[in-house]
Amino acid sequence: MDHFMYQNGSLYAEDVPVTDIAARVGTPFYLYSTATLLRHYKLFDEALAGMDHLVCYAMKAASNQAILMTLAQAGAGMDVVSMGEYLRARAAGVPGDKIVFSGVGKTAEEIRTALEGGIRQFNLESEPEMVALNAVAKSMGKVAPVTIRVNPDVDAKTHAKIATGKSENKFGIPISRAREVYRQAAEMEAIEVVGIDVHIGSQLTDLAPFELAYTKVAELTAILRADGHDIRRLDLGGGLGIPYERSNSAPPLPLDYGAMIQRTVGHLGCEIEIEPGRLIAGNAGIMVARVIYVKSGEGRDFLIIDGAMNDLIRPAMYDAHHDIIPVIEPTPGTEQHPYDIVGPVCESGDTFAKQRSMVPLFAGDLIAFRSAGAYGAVMASEYNTRPLIPEVLVNGDQFAVIRPRPTFDEMINRDTIPEWL
Ligand code: LLP
């Protein structure tokens, strides 16, 4: 459920008509709903209610500071994967002891920054990274809390580009080597092992792969404890999927996910962390664009819109489906027409949907891409020298631009010209 609904014949974000925002900020733009963000965060928080837990929002999904603050003020921690994300979370007021640092290639500089600023734990992904962390922490006279990410060799049954838990993926250490790596970690003086980390992929629409992975983590917990390690925290990653195609998908609910966590690892008495990104932000955001032209091709009609693949890359990159709806509510019973919905960028890949059934649309009409809140704005680029599109946040009957559209001068003047030219 989200808070983008038709009222009085037009799409609203909470209590604000999308047309009002479009008139104020121009198109295209991203639009987020505070109530939806909070609702999704709370669903996870409540799903884990019986256990000592922290929901660490995977801020890679949507990292505007206004979004981070909204969630952090509700109690969320953050999962970061770079120094930029760490600094952004800190700038949004998130305390270091609520930030977990994931990612396969943390540099010494990133490690130092997090140790200086405060960190809940590093999720280590390899032995060389462990050696580097130990060296940096030691040089600073600190002891770094860590979990080690294990790769459970589970098929997440999701898009190949976003599956991470198979042995051929670059993530984590093979679970079969865990005892040896934990033994080495225990010997390092500037590292304190606090738990185990696992994340098997993103947009999972079935609980079975999670359950398999978490069962393996529970077994490993018992083994590592018997080896003398104080395993007191389990970071179970993110990855729960969302219904991109509302008409025919119903992924598991956070409540069922929480019950499965309770069932698989609840008896261990560990503190539980999860790192959901998409489920919190995905359906809390839409991208609004305007039809520039309707072009009749041979045997097909194109809606050429002012949003493009550089603004929302998911369809081009993962063949992802986004529901696309007109901002003015169609009269019930209006006959639908198939359109190819495309952006103005000079590549055939700049196609959002092929032969999508829509009510008839005309130049100037506004459309909304649903489920665009996660991995939308954050993956945007300035390809074709198109400015990054603004982000807007709604809260009840108020809205605010949370990242303005840069001017062309700002964009162009970032280039610096060598003296020989
Ligand atoms: N934790 C770790 C270690 C991750 O790598 C990820 C996502 C998450 C948590 C959050 O997963 P989520 O709950 O959002 O599924 N750009 C792709 C998705 C990439 C996901 C990368 N890792 C997309 O647009 O579908």
Side-chain angles (χ1 to χ4, degrees):
M1 205 214 101
D2 62 40
H3 292 77
F4 299 100
M5 283 187 289
Y6 288 122
Q7 295 176 43
N8 313 318
S10 155
L11 187 67
Y12 274 59
E14 301 189 20
D15 301 327
V16 185
V18 171
T19 48
D20 283 8
I21 303 173
R24 183 86 67 84
V25 305
T27 53
F29 62 95
Y30 279 103
L31 178 58
Y32 306 97
S33 149
T34 299
T36 314
L37 287 167
L38 290 176
R39 181 186 135 79
H40 292 160
Y41 164 71
K42 284 184 188 136
L43 286 177
F44 279 116
D45 197 37
E46 284 162 17
L48 299 180
M51 293 169 275
D52 187 10
H53 70 274
L54 184 67
V55 178
C56 295
Y57 168 60
M59 63 177 276
K60 62 163 74 75
S63 58
N64 190 292
Q65 286 176 64
I67 293 175
L68 305 186
M69 272 188 199
T70 301
L71 294 168
Q73 286 174 10
M78 296 292 150
D79 168 42
V80 309
V81 291
S82 69
M83 188 153 131
E85 285 195 348
Y86 176 81
L87 295 173
R88 198 179 263 267
R90 297 288 288 144
V94 185
D97 64 5
K98 283 184 134 180
I99 301 178
V100 301
F101 205 139
S102 301
V104 283
K106 302 171 204 74
T107 65
E109 191 192 7
E110 289 180 314
I111 292 169
R112 200 172 305 114
T113 303
L115 280 172
E116 255 161 31
I119 192 81
R120 180 180 182 82
Q121 98 224 1
F122 292 92
N123 293 334
L124 286 181
E125 296 245 6
S126 66
E127 289 142 283
E129 194 184 51
M130 181 164 87
V131 172
L133 174 62
N134 185 54
V136 176
K138 196 168 157 188
S139 73
M140 296 170 72
K142 300 208 176 222
V143 175
V146 305
T147 70
I148 297 174
R149 177 169 177 181
V150 293
N151 186 326
D153 196 18
V154 164
D155 183 355
K157 299 200 167 54
T158 183
H159 191 288
K161 285 188 183 156
I162 53 177
T164 55
K166 285 288 286 172
S167 54
E168 70 252 32
N169 299 128
K170 67 180 174 183
F171 302 95
I173 56 149
I175 199 160
S176 53
R177 295 212 56 239
R179 287 181 83 181
E180 167 60 16
V181 178
Y182 272 85
R183 194 188 56 71
Q184 288 171 25
E187 284 170 4
M188 295 195 172
E189 59 187 289
I191 281 181
E192 187 194 3
V193 172
V194 298
I196 306 173
D197 173 43
V198 71
H199 169 81
I200 56 172
S202 198
Q203 185 54 18
L204 272 71
T205 51
D206 184 358
L207 288 183
F210 284 120
E211 181 147 9
L212 201 56
Y214 297 170
T215 304
K216 290 191 181 192
V217 167
E219 286 162 11
L220 181 63
T221 303
I223 293 170
L224 292 178
R225 281 178 170 169
D227 285 349
H229 303 284
D230 181 13
I231 304 298
R232 52 187 185 274
R233 193 179 282 172
L234 300 178
D235 182 332
L236 301 176
L240 196 58
I242 62 171
Y244 277 103
E245 219 170 330
R246 285 168 194 232
S247 51
N248 71 2
S249 63
L253 303 172
L255 199 62
D256 300 327
Y257 175 69
M260 182 273 292
I261 290 178
Q262 175 77 59
R263 196 163 64 235
T264 48
V265 299
H267 60 286
L268 298 168
C270 287
E271 183 181 8
I272 303 298
E273 291 166 354
I274 53 169
E275 303 168 348
R278 190 189 311 265
L279 203 142
I280 290 180
N283 283 330
I286 60 175
M287 183 180 81
V288 180
R290 198 180 286 281
V291 177
I292 314 175
Y293 299 115
V294 183
K295 170 173 158 177
S296 297
E298 257 176 50
R300 61 180 65 213
D301 289 342
F302 295 93
L303 286 183
I304 303 173
I305 64 170
D306 60 2
M309 63 190 287
N310 69 297
D311 304 314
L312 176 63
I313 191 88
R314 303 194 67 261
M317 193 154 174
Y318 315 111
D319 294 316
H321 173 101
H322 285 264
D323 282 348
I324 303 171
I325 58 169
V327 167
I328 300 301
E329 186 176 17
T331 337
T334 310
E335 206 171 313
Q336 308 241 325
H337 183 80
Y339 290 105
D340 281 13
I341 302 176
V342 302
V345 163
C346 311
E347 311 200 8
S348 302
D350 188 18
T351 298
F352 291 112
K354 284 198 165 146
Q355 296 297 287
R356 182 73 63 88
S357 284
M358 305 281 290
V359 294
L361 287 164
F362 304 95
D365 286 349
L366 291 172
I367 57 173
F369 288 74
R370 285 189 167 280
S371 313
Y375 308 110
V378 285
M379 293 181 81
S381 77
E382 291 178 343
Y383 187 38
N384 279 206
T385 307
R386 293 169 49 88
L388 292 182
I389 65 177
E391 294 182 284
V392 178
L393 180 65
V394 165
N395 184 18
D397 60 3
Q398 318 174 68
F399 72 90
V401 174
I402 56 174
R403 188 183 70 192
R405 195 187 306 277
T407 64
F408 286 103
D409 277 350
E410 278 165 357
M411 209 180 10
I412 293 164
N413 292 338
R414 279 207 311 265
D415 298 353
T416 52
I417 309 298
E419 61 187 17
W420 63 82
L421 287 175

